[in-house]
Amino acid sequence: DTEVTQTPKHLVMGMTNKKSLKCEQHMGHRAMYWYKQKAKKPPELMFVYSYEKLSINESVPSRFSPECPNSSLLNLHLHALQPEDSALYLCASSQIRSGSKSTDTQYFGPGTRLTVL
Amino acid sequence: AQTVTQSQPEMSVQEAETVTLSCTYDTSESDYYLFWYKQPPSRQMILVIRQEAYKQQNATENRFSVNFQKAAKSFSLKISDSQLGDAAMYFCAYMTGSARQLTFGSGTQLTVLP
């Protein structure tokens, strides 16, 4: 089973709203990722969690706030977003190779299409 | 820094024919992994195939196979007996053995003509 689930599928929010994106996996993966993807472009890495700890933050604005409550769940809290933040937000997960910090193949969820008005 | 280049922004293939998508990469690492991901109009990113750099044998997955040329730093994807469902954006990606990040190419949009 290589399933990563994401909710909601679509989200429309105003610039003053607060909303959250949710990602879940039950593959026992200990690394989880958030990506942002604009149309016809490759995904851009935002955050990486390893063993439920934030290990990489790619200089993402503070209006995006990630959270990893447990090894299966990853949230992305959104506040005061701008129209240019409209994009597809992808979550992914992967194993961490035993005895190292490196990770294995990433499996992606279906994404959340976010529109900021 | 590692880079991944896909020089074909768009390609098309007739149904049931074979098509090859190109990918080159630049790295000084010896331990790394290469991937092809497919992203259909639904925009779910789906793993197509994976290749470990230390393996000389080219990876295959049913109708999908790669031509991995390590010295030339080339990693092309061959799709045989193309089907309408193969129409998608295809991304080549690279990851070092010690890293946690994927480096993606810019993508190739594949159209399958009936």
Side-chain angles (χ1 to χ4, degrees):
Chain A
D1 181 12
T2 55
E3 188 178 15
V4 177
T5 60
Q6 288 187 244
T7 54
K9 285 189 170 58
H10 301 274
L11 179 62
V12 179
M13 60 187 290
M15 288 191 283
T16 58
N17 292 157
K18 284 185 181 181
K19 297 285 185 184
S20 296
L21 310 184
K22 179 180 168 182
C23 173
E24 200 160 3
Q25 57 89 13
H26 295 287
M27 296 178 280
H29 291 172
R30 299 306 297 274
M32 296 185 77
Y33 311 77
W34 280 116
Y35 289 86
K36 174 183 177 181
Q37 187 182 25
K38 292 282 199 178
K40 300 191 181 299
K41 297 289 187 185
E44 300 170 17
L45 184 66
M46 300 174 72
F47 303 104
V48 181
Y49 273 82
S50 301
Y51 299 109
E52 297 87 70
K53 288 185 172 27
L54 184 65
S55 59
I56 296 176
N57 176 342
E58 292 287 359
S59 303
V60 178
S62 60
R63 58 186 184 268
F64 295 93
S65 175
E67 179 197 20
C68 190
N70 59 56
S71 61
S72 301
L73 194 53
L74 184 66
N75 298 320
L76 186 63
H77 302 297
L78 314 173
H79 173 55
L81 294 193
Q82 304 296 310
E84 59 265 29
D85 296 323
S86 298
L88 181 71
Y89 287 84
L90 292 165
C91 174
S93 71
S94 70
Q95 285 286 10
I96 296 177
R97 297 194 185 92
S98 59
S100 80
K101 294 181 180 179
S102 64
T103 55
D104 211 316
T105 304
Q106 291 185 28
Y107 295 94
F108 287 81
T112 293
R113 291 179 196 249
L114 174 67
T115 303
V116 182
L117 301 176
Chain B
Q2 294 87 15
T3 58
V4 178
T5 301
Q6 294 178 249
S7 58
Q8 307 150 314
E10 296 177 353
M11 289 198 71
S12 61
V13 63
Q14 209 71 36
E15 197 175 2
E17 297 293 308
T18 296
V19 64
T20 299
L21 309 184
S22 301
C23 173
T24 58
Y25 58 95
D26 186 25
T27 184
S28 56
E29 303 280 340
S30 57
D31 176 24
Y32 57 88
Y33 301 79
L34 294 162
F35 306 88
W36 279 99
Y37 284 92
K38 162 186 174 179
Q39 191 173 40
S42 67
R43 300 195 74 187
Q44 166 109 42
M45 190 77 80
I46 302 165
L47 176 69
V48 175
I49 204 162
R50 157 198 161 117
Q51 174 83 43
E52 291 92 336
Y54 65 86
K55 289 188 177 177
Q56 292 187 343
Q57 187 171 7
N58 289 326
T60 63
E61 285 289 340
N62 300 314
R63 297 182 295 106
F64 298 88
S65 61
V66 297
N67 183 3
F68 174 47
Q69 302 287 328
K70 190 171 183 179
K73 296 179 182 172
S74 170
F75 182 61
S76 59
L77 175 70
K78 184 170 90 171
I79 306 174
S80 304
D81 185 26
S82 297
Q83 300 175 359
L84 295 176
D86 295 333
M89 179 74 90
Y90 285 81
F91 290 102
C92 178
Y94 162 99
M95 182 172 70
T96 66
S98 59
R100 300 172 192 175
Q101 295 178 256
L102 281 170
T103 300
F104 286 94
S106 55
T108 297
Q109 182 69 52
L110 178 67
T111 301
V112 180
L113 304 169

